[in-house]
Amino acid sequence: MVIKVFFPQCCNRADSGLLVGRWLAGYDSAVVLAVIHYPFIPSTVKQYIQQSRSGVQLSVLGSWSLPAEGDMESFLRDLSSIFPQRRWLQISRQTGKTGFSCSVLNTERKEEEEREDESDQKVIFIHYEQRKVMLSQLHRDESEGADPNPEPTSELTQMFESVSRSQALFFLDKYDEGPVKSTHWQSEGREASIVVELCKQGAVPVCSVVSAVLHLMFHVFPLPFVWSKLSTCVQLSFRTERLKKLFSTATAPDHMTFMRKSNTFVSVLLDVALGLLLMSWLYRDDHISSIANALVPAADHVAKELKGLLQWLMGAPAGLKMNRALDQVLGRFFLYHIHLWISYIHLMSPFVESLLWYGGLSAALGLSMAVSLLSDMIALLTFHIYCFYVYGARLYCMKVYGLSSLWRLFRGKKWNVLRQRVDSCSYDLDQLFIGTLLFTILLFLLPTTALYYLVFTLLRLVVVVVQGVLHLTVDFINSFPLFSVGLRVCRPYTLADGVKFRVLCDEPGTCLHLLMEINPLKLSSVVRTYRSPNDSRRKDSWAALINKLFIGELVYPWKHKAEKTD
């Protein structure tokens, strides 16, 4: 039988005393957490262990003695009757050897049976760094189940849980005055806890007030419809909800909650820092005036290019034969809209610099807020292109649906609205004649409409791609787990994907000694595991997008919200 003893490296040179830890349920393994030094009073040790329980059941596993204290070994062996255990580990160091020797006493068996089993028992020491195991989080394999809080069943999981839940043992330093003296990992303490508590207490009412104001704004018609289409308002609402969850203290935080809050805090902090840098650049060297002065000429240039494009479409584009009457009507209709838009831009030109100056202040709330505002400005500046796209898409869609309906007429079919299916139907001669006439008209007008739809759809897709890049930037800032990635880079042992062992000492006459090292979690797994849940929005697949473009359905400049996920 092989008994594994997880032994902390900080106790290798500890004074003689008692080993405190726990036996792992279902395994022949023991986890040593601390060494209580001699002299001590057994009743005081029992009371100290009972008061130090924090999530795990601690007990005295055995004794620990140094080679210079040979008389102490027999004394510590006799303590097995005071601290009853099924197995009593008697570990000692030997002079001139690096490894330990260990004998296992089966206190519940008779001496004859004990002598018979001593030769069959083999002890393997697994040395671990208590600080790293204490601060690390062992990530279970996803195949273990969907339960978010599964019970620790594996030997390694129980070992990590035993060390992490025994923090009460590590609060008392070996030099402090206390009932017992012990050797274990010394914690580094808590920093700025008072400041953190004051910030949390003050931030909760502020976030609640802002959330209440936004709630009223978003529920007064027609403001909810307008705010849901503006990226700036959506981002402001999302940021407020995240800050409200960040400073909430409703439940005791577990590891995932702590990491999620830390990622949120770091992402918000970095977002605001980048926003302040952008803000300092905008208001330095009069960059806002330069942008405002270049905005109106750029709008005029775009309008001039659109006029040239429409004049090209009103002629014979690429040698195509177009319907002259419909081509002239559509061209003049779009030219009139361009004229209205340019008049509006020139009317607003005196206020552009002021709007940019006040809009630049949004960068103080973060780079994501400034990027969202830029997305809204692009949507407003290209609103005429969106109108052209909507007009062309609606005309094209009407003709496509009309042609598909008339095509069913020729085949003796019709669309059953109640049953949502195609049924057979018989038509008389007048219906077939009118259907043929309408089908011919729509079919010959389709190329002209399709050309206008194709051109303005391509222009619209350019704007949508630019807005999509801006939306992806905001989503990346909001959801990227920067704190977790930084923790993985600076302290890779805190996010453990498993462990590996290497032989530390295998001297004759001593037990086998292994060193347990922590395998850090992969960066891809860190990003996937700790990525902050964004306001997940329903995104169309490529097949659905192509189908919409083919039949003329609108591709909106905003994303449709899906169900909120926590």
Side-chain angles (χ1 to χ4, degrees):
M1 181 178 61
V2 178
I3 297 178
K4 294 186 284 294
V5 179
F6 292 90
F7 199 85
Q9 289 182 301
C10 58
C11 297
N12 288 343
R13 300 292 178 180
D15 298 334
S16 299
L18 297 176
L19 300 173
V20 177
R22 65 171 296 208
W23 287 95
L24 301 183
Y27 300 93
D28 293 323
S29 304
V31 180
V32 178
L33 299 174
V35 176
I36 297 179
H37 303 160
Y38 181 81
F40 49 80
I41 302 174
S43 60
T44 306
V45 173
K46 289 183 178 181
Q47 185 179 4
Y48 172 71
I49 292 177
Q50 294 209 354
Q51 292 176 352
S52 301
R53 289 179 181 173
S54 56
V56 294
Q57 187 176 2
L58 304 179
S59 60
V60 177
L61 302 178
S63 62
W64 163 263
S65 59
L66 296 177
E69 302 174 352
D71 298 337
M72 185 67 65
E73 186 173 351
S74 60
F75 168 74
L76 296 174
R77 180 187 181 113
D78 296 336
L79 292 177
S80 60
S81 59
I82 302 178
F83 301 97
Q85 288 287 336
R86 188 172 66 88
R87 291 171 181 167
W88 181 266
L89 301 176
Q90 192 166 359
I91 306 174
S92 60
R93 297 192 65 124
Q94 298 182 10
T95 305
K97 292 186 177 181
T98 306
F100 309 155
S101 63
C102 179
S103 59
V104 182
L105 305 180
N106 296 321
T107 57
E108 295 181 355
R109 295 186 178 184
K110 297 180 180 180
E111 295 183 1
E112 294 79 6
E113 296 177 353
E114 179 181 326
R115 294 193 190 98
E116 292 176 0
D117 292 342
E118 280 183 354
S119 59
D120 298 334
Q121 290 178 345
K122 184 178 180 180
V123 179
I124 298 177
F125 284 93
I126 301 176
H127 295 262
Y128 69 94
E129 191 169 342
Q130 201 168 42
R131 174 177 174 270
K132 290 184 177 181
V133 176
M134 180 77 179
L135 300 178
S136 64
Q137 173 68 25
L138 184 63
H139 291 73
R140 301 181 179 91
D141 193 1
E142 295 179 357
S143 61
E144 290 187 6
D147 188 4
N149 296 311
E151 291 295 329
T153 55
S154 67
E155 181 182 11
L156 190 61
T157 303
Q158 290 192 47
M159 183 266 175
F160 272 75
E161 293 285 341
S162 301
V163 178
S164 62
R165 293 182 181 179
S166 303
Q167 298 183 10
L169 281 176
F170 310 130
F171 289 157
L172 186 63
D173 191 89
K174 62 180 178 180
Y175 300 107
D176 294 341
E177 294 295 332
V180 295
K181 303 295 182 180
S182 60
T183 297
H184 48 70
W185 167 66
Q186 306 300 329
S187 64
E188 299 175 355
R190 302 168 183 264
E191 295 140 2
S193 58
I194 298 179
V195 177
V196 171
E197 284 299 324
L198 290 176
C199 291
K200 289 167 67 175
Q201 295 295 331
V204 171
V206 173
C207 292
S208 300
V209 171
V210 175
S211 180
V213 173
L214 292 177
H215 180 78
L216 292 176
M217 293 174 61
F218 294 160
H219 288 79
V220 178
F221 185 81
L223 292 180
F225 176 79
V226 177
W227 294 150
S228 62
K229 309 312 176 194
L230 295 179
S231 300
T232 306
C233 297
V234 174
Q235 174 63 16
L236 181 61
S237 176
F238 176 69
R239 173 64 59 80
T240 306
E241 290 297 327
R242 292 189 70 186
L243 290 177
K244 192 175 179 181
K245 292 180 180 179
L246 174 63
F247 294 106
S248 63
T249 56
T251 58
D254 54 0
H255 172 75
M256 188 58 69
T257 303
F258 169 76
M259 295 296 291
R260 187 171 296 171
K261 287 186 176 182
S262 300
N263 289 324
T264 300
F265 177 77
V266 174
S267 65
V268 170
L269 195 64
L270 181 63
D271 189 16
V272 173
L274 294 176
L276 292 177
L277 288 177
L278 176 63
M279 187 176 173
S280 65
W281 179 82
L282 287 175
Y283 293 97
R284 189 178 65 247
D285 299 334
D286 207 16
H287 286 109
I288 291 184
S289 298
S290 302
I291 296 175
N293 294 332
L295 193 59
V296 175
D300 289 336
H301 178 72
V302 172
K304 181 179 178 181
E305 294 295 330
L306 285 176
K307 286 182 180 179
L309 178 63
L310 287 173
Q311 290 173 357
W312 178 71
L313 291 176
M314 292 171 66
L320 297 177
K321 181 65 175 179
M322 311 296 293
N323 185 279
R324 184 68 179 173
L326 181 60
D327 193 11
Q328 292 295 321
V329 170
L330 292 178
R332 292 176 183 178
F333 178 74
F334 292 135
L335 285 174
Y336 178 69
H337 275 72
I338 292 177
H339 175 70
L340 290 178
W341 181 251
I342 292 301
S343 301
Y344 172 73
I345 289 294
H346 283 280
L347 182 64
M348 294 294 296
S349 59
F351 310 101
V352 171
E353 184 174 354
S354 299
L355 292 175
L356 291 177
W357 195 93
Y358 289 109
L361 297 177
S362 64
L365 299 177
L367 179 64
S368 60
M369 197 68 64
V371 173
S372 299
L373 182 61
L374 177 62
S375 176
D376 292 334
M377 292 177 63
I378 292 176
L380 293 175
L381 291 175
T382 58
F383 185 70
H384 54 307
I385 296 178
Y386 176 67
C387 291
F388 296 163
Y389 164 70
V390 171
Y391 298 150
R394 289 304 185 192
L395 288 174
Y396 176 78
C397 185
M398 289 173 57
K399 291 187 178 181
V400 168
Y401 277 102
L403 288 173
S404 62
S405 179
L406 293 172
W407 177 251
R408 286 193 293 267
L409 181 142
F410 297 147
R411 297 182 296 138
K413 305 286 185 179
K414 73 170 184 178
W415 175 254
N416 192 328
V417 180
L418 296 178
R419 298 182 180 273
Q420 294 294 307
R421 67 182 185 187
V422 177
D423 295 334
S424 300
C425 182
S426 57
Y427 298 95
D428 55 22
L429 187 60
D430 294 337
Q431 291 174 328
L432 291 175
F433 174 75
I434 296 176
T436 303
L437 183 62
L438 292 176
F439 183 84
T440 305
I441 294 174
L442 292 178
L443 183 62
F444 281 100
L445 293 180
L446 181 63
T448 304
T449 307
L451 182 61
Y452 276 88
Y453 169 70
L454 176 63
V455 171
F456 290 121
T457 298
L458 293 177
L459 292 176
R460 181 60 197 155
L461 287 179
V462 172
V463 179
V464 169
V465 168
V466 174
Q467 287 187 286
V469 172
L470 296 178
H471 288 162
L472 288 177
T473 304
V474 174
D475 291 343
F476 178 81
I477 295 174
N478 289 333
S479 61
F480 186 73
L482 187 61
F483 176 80
S484 301
V485 173
L487 204 62
R488 166 61 179 82
V489 174
C490 299
R491 292 184 176 182
Y493 56 85
T494 54
L495 304 176
D497 191 26
V499 296
K500 59 183 178 181
F501 302 94
R502 65 180 179 88
V503 177
L504 189 63
C505 176
D506 191 11
E507 298 176 340
T510 61
C511 300
L512 175 63
H513 292 259
L514 303 176
L515 178 62
M516 185 181 75
E517 297 177 349
I518 296 177
N519 287 328
L521 197 64
K522 296 181 180 179
L523 281 175
S524 58
S525 300
V526 171
V527 175
R528 183 175 61 254
T529 303
Y530 295 105
R531 189 177 181 88
S532 300
N534 204 348
D535 58 338
S536 299
R537 299 174 176 180
R538 179 171 57 85
K539 301 176 183 179
D540 293 327
S541 62
W542 286 105
L545 179 62
I546 294 175
N547 182 61
K548 281 186 175 183
L549 294 176
F550 182 76
I551 64 178
E553 290 188 11
L554 295 181
V555 178
Y556 291 98
W558 53 83
K559 302 176 186 177
H560 298 273
K561 290 183 180 178
E563 297 178 1
K564 292 183 179 179
T565 57
D566 227 356

